[in-house]
């Protein structure tokens, strides 16, 4: 469960059933996990319950919440582990190789750590490259993060870097796989035009995450909960506590993908490479893509 205040500059609030309802992380900071009794207070079978925290429930303020189901059939797994400071593999339950992995140190002994992201669209040698969800930086090449090893259908690899594997620090990893008709992960090249590239996903996206892997740009999230018709202009930045903006990066969200409708460099810089993650409005078919 990921919740963001749309109208004000407050941090993102991220929760999951593996860590528990009161364990809160924020994608815009490097801070350790905090215990919040007034944030998300309960997961339900058809919704969730919140408290009085300004991150989730200030009176009169609009919020958006994005939720994923942790299940192999939905292409999502959550793994909690303790670092050991040596190259290693960590088991997961997806049954196929993940296309995107997001890791965060929950409790650190010394220096707080950021949010390293593995994404198959970053480069041809994606297992040595990583992005930081809390940063605008372009992808960096460092083999001590993913140990220069691509994930498999049963494990993913981490190296000795404190971002993913400091001795005795605890971590959470969110893993995502392609599911035909439900989720898609890939890359595209910007053309710097208001008549931007079309990205085929095979479904109408409910949620789209975009980041330039080649240049320093914000992360961007668009969805059809905030924009019920095109153009989709409501934009939130996972790396920033800032309020929603509506003036720069615009998309058409279509029946089989999305199309960039802005020349802004954040989602369509000419010659820039962008990675994306998209999840469907309606799951036409639920089967792991192999």
């Amino acid at each position: 469960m990921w919740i963001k205040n749309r109208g004000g500059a407050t941090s993102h609030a991220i929760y999951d059933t593996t860590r528990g309802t009161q364990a809160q992380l924020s994608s815009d900071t490097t801070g350790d996990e905090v215990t919040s009794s007034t944030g998300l207070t309960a997961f339900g079978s058809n919704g969730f319950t919140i408290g009085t925290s300004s991150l989730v429930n200030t009176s009169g303020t609009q919020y958006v919440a994005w939720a994923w189901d942790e299940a192999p059939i939905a292409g999502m797994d959550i793994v909690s582990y303790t670092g050991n400071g040596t190259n290693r593999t960590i088991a997961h339950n997806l049954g196929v190789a993940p296309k995107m992995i997001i890791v965060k140190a929950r409790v650190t002994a010394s220096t707080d750590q950021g949010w390293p992201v593995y994404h198959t669209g970053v480069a041809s040698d994606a297992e040595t490259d990583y992005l930081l969800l809390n940063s605008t930086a372009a992808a960096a090449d460092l083999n001590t993060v993913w140990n220069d090893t691509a994930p498999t259908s049963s494990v993913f690899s981490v190296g000795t870097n404190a971002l993913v594997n400091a001795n005795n620090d605890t971590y959470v990893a969110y893993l995502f796989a392609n599911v035909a008709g439900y989720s898609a992960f890939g890359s595209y090249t910007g053309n710097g035009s208001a008549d931007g590239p079309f990205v085929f996903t095979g479904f109408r996206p409910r949620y789209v995450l975009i980041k330039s892997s080649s240049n320093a740009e914000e992360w961007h999230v668009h969805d059809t909960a905030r924009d019920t018709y095109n153009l989709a202009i409501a934009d939130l930045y996972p790396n920033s506590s800032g309020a929603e903006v509506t003036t720069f990066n615009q998309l058409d969200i279509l029946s089989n993908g999305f199309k960039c409708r802005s020349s802004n460099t954040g989602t369509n810089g000419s010659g820039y490479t962008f990675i994306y993650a998209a999840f469907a409005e309606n799951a036409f078919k639920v089967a792991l893509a192999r």
Side-chain angles (χ1 to χ4, degrees):
M1 179 67 62
W2 186 328
I3 301 173
K4 178 65 178 82
N5 177 346
R6 300 173 59 186
T10 60
S11 282
H12 298 251
I14 299 173
Y15 311 89
D16 62 69
T17 54
T18 297
R19 296 179 297 118
T21 55
Q22 294 188 17
Q24 180 178 286
L25 287 167
S26 296
S27 63
D28 53 292
T29 76
T30 61
D32 282 2
E33 177 181 284
V34 298
T35 299
S36 174
S37 60
T38 58
L40 181 74
T41 59
F43 291 101
S45 60
N46 62 352
F48 58 96
T49 305
I50 52 175
T52 58
S53 168
S54 62
L55 271 62
V56 300
N57 194 20
T58 296
S59 178
T61 299
Q62 290 188 320
Y63 291 81
V64 63
W66 307 299
W68 290 263
D69 183 23
E70 183 202 10
I73 196 171
M76 199 265 183
D77 194 18
I78 304 172
V79 177
S80 183
Y81 64 95
T82 300
N84 65 8
T86 62
N87 296 332
R88 62 190 288 204
T89 60
I90 298 169
H92 67 78
N93 296 311
L94 285 175
V96 296
K99 297 295 186 181
M100 183 171 73
I101 305 171
I102 303 172
V103 175
K104 179 66 179 78
R106 301 171 55 187
V107 180
T108 56
S110 55
T111 305
D112 290 347
Q113 299 296 330
W115 292 76
V117 178
Y118 167 88
H119 194 290
T120 55
V122 166
S124 58
D125 192 21
E127 56 268 19
T128 66
D129 290 356
Y130 72 96
L131 289 156
L132 287 172
L133 187 64
N134 57 289
S135 170
T136 62
D141 189 339
L142 190 63
N143 61 15
T144 58
V145 178
W146 312 120
N147 195 28
D148 199 11
T149 305
T152 72
S153 60
S154 59
V155 299
F156 67 99
S157 296
V158 293
T160 58
N161 196 288
L163 283 166
V164 293
N165 194 25
N167 190 40
N168 291 326
D169 285 359
T170 58
Y171 296 83
V172 64
Y174 304 113
L175 295 86
F176 300 89
N178 273 345
V179 178
Y182 174 70
S183 58
F185 307 86
S187 64
Y188 66 91
T189 301
N191 66 9
S193 167
D195 184 12
F198 166 73
V199 178
F200 177 79
T201 62
F203 52 78
R204 176 174 170 79
R206 177 69 164 172
Y207 169 105
V208 181
L209 171 71
I210 298 173
K211 170 72 175 82
S212 173
S213 59
S214 59
N215 297 77
E217 296 287 348
E218 310 278 1
W219 292 80
H220 300 270
V221 174
H222 290 271
D223 60 67
T224 59
R226 291 176 295 144
D227 285 306
T228 58
Y229 55 88
N230 289 322
L231 288 169
I233 62 173
D235 193 1
L236 283 167
Y237 306 153
N239 56 280
S240 169
S241 64
E244 180 179 281
V245 295
T246 59
T247 55
F248 302 114
N249 298 279
Q250 302 173 347
L251 301 180
D252 274 342
I253 296 180
L254 306 170
S255 62
N256 58 352
F258 62 92
K259 182 177 176 62
C260 296
R261 287 295 189 185
S262 168
S263 60
N264 193 276
T265 57
T267 54
N268 192 26
S270 180
Y272 290 17
T273 300
F274 296 88
I275 58 101
Y276 68 86
F279 298 88
E281 191 167 73
N282 295 293
F284 299 117
K285 181 171 69 175
V286 181
L288 284 171
R290 297 180 185 270

